[in-house]
Amino acid sequence: MIVTLTLNPSLDRTLALDSLRRGEVLRATSVRIDPGGKGVNVTRVLRAFGVDSHAVIPCAGPDGEELARLLQNDGVPVTEVQVAGWTRSNITLAEADGRVTKVNAPGGALTGQEVALLAEAVLEWCVSQNAAIAGTANGAAANGSVASGGTANTGTANTGTANGGASASGGFANVGMPNSGASNTGASWAVLSGSLPPGVPDDVYARLTAQFAEHGVRVAVDTSGAALLAAVDAGPDLIKPNRQELAAAVGTPLNSIGEVVAAAEKLCSRGVKAVLASLGADGTVLVDGSGAVFGAAEAIEPVSTVGAGDALLAGFLAAGGQGPEALIEAMAWARAAVGLPGSQMPGPPDVVREGIRVVRDPGGKPAGALHLADNG
């Protein structure tokens, strides 16, 4: 089970234009509305490939209702936690030559109590799956239920039955989910991704990482800035920065594959177990305890790059979340996403795995000397 938590989901409205000309009245050639938010996209693409995934989102106002309706219409399982703010609506302007301009709204604020409810919903799905794995491994399953290591009956996130509300410091309280006792092998993944809405502290992903790890849940984090830096020190199983996010995290420009590898190794030395660094058209770098691997793919004409990083992460986790084979699958899914309009996520018919190559130990010659494009 791969459960995604998107604290700042959106409706993504994509307008196709012949060209973007500032200060003029323009007519769109087409319009599409897709569910948006990085975690939402990860679940959408996983479901398209038949991988078990569940999305957890805050939901508020008419746009929140529309977001939930679109997900349900697409057959995407979702837990909607009702919150007091609003769900944002983002605008993408896609030009005929492939250039994309994206305007993201800030989203409504979340309280500590609302974040606690969202965390409870994630744990309810992840821990129950881990308990089932542990129970099966121990031969303890009887009559279709897990005899040991099961979860407590906490109710759904929408009922407001979290055991803790906002802490005195303005953060969120730990929710009362029992430890499943499952080992990390085969355990559920919790994907914590996207920007933070107003009112949410920068260390929220770090605190959720630590909390989920206590219950045997593997954690992947895809965010940026202060939220990424805080999460790094919590030791997540995986982070997925792009080149700019990775450069900001280590405080230095990254102009070659070797420099990307060194930056990823620096974050691993602080406790991150693996770094999956997306470099756009320049490829992808994977660094973990077994070393570094660089992946490159034959370029295609891009239609929209929106959601490509989410497809990359989804493909990597779906293929096991480690090693060169997972890197190849991840890149194939990302390349497929680039060939689709707006926030549309790929499915099996869109994926072509040929033309993707991997190089081990790219910190040395010749891959390490490869200079990245300015927009890498």
Side-chain angles (χ1 to χ4, degrees), residues 20 90 93 105 131 137 149 160 178 180 197 205 223 263 281 300 303 317 335 346 349-350 365 369:
L20 177 60
N90 296 335
L93 303 176
S180 70
Y205 288 150
T223 190
I300 65 169
V303 176
L317 296 181
R335 183 169 61 176
D350 303 307
K365 302 289 185 179

Side-chain angles (χ1 to χ4, degrees), residues 317-367:
L317 296 181
Q322 61 182 358
E325 293 77 13
L327 177 60
I328 291 172
E329 191 70 3
M331 295 185 67
W333 289 27
R335 183 169 61 176
V338 170
L340 297 172
S343 300
Q344 185 175 338
M345 291 292 102
D350 303 307
V351 172
V352 177
R353 295 171 181 84
E354 289 75 18
I356 300 175
R357 62 182 179 87
V358 296
V359 178
R360 294 181 181 273
D361 189 24
K365 302 289 185 179

Side-chain angles (χ1 to χ4, degrees), residues 140-220:
N143 298 323
S145 62
V146 179
S148 62
T151 62
N153 184 4
T154 60
T156 64
N158 286 338
T159 64
T161 56
N163 287 343
S167 68
S169 62
F172 56 91
N174 285 340
V175 296
M177 299 295 294
N179 194 316
S180 70
S183 70
N184 229 20
T185 304
S188 295
W189 280 95
V191 176
L192 313 178
S193 59
S195 62
L196 302 183
V200 176
D202 290 336
D203 67 349
V204 63
Y205 288 150
R207 296 168 69 181
L208 288 174
T209 293
Q211 182 180 343
F212 294 169
E214 290 177 357
H215 299 284
V217 178
R218 293 176 290 179
V219 178

Side-chain angles (χ1 to χ4, degrees), residues 220-316:
V221 177
D222 183 7
T223 190
S224 60
L228 175 60
L229 281 174
V232 163
D233 292 327
D237 296 273
L238 175 70
I239 62 172
K240 195 218 71 63
N242 61 28
R243 173 187 167 190
Q244 290 79 15
E245 292 162 351
L246 181 59
V250 297
T252 183
L254 304 177
N255 298 312
S256 72
I257 299 300
E259 290 175 358
V260 171
V261 170
E265 289 174 340
K266 183 176 182 179
L267 297 187
C268 287
S269 71
R270 291 170 55 179
V272 175
K273 296 180 179 63
V275 177
L276 181 67
S278 56
L279 310 175
D282 288 313
T284 306
V285 167
L286 171 64
V287 175
D288 58 20
S290 64
V293 181
F294 169 65
E298 293 178 359
I300 65 169
E301 191 67 29
V303 176
S304 172
T305 59
V306 177
D310 306 323
L312 181 84
L313 177 56
F316 187 74

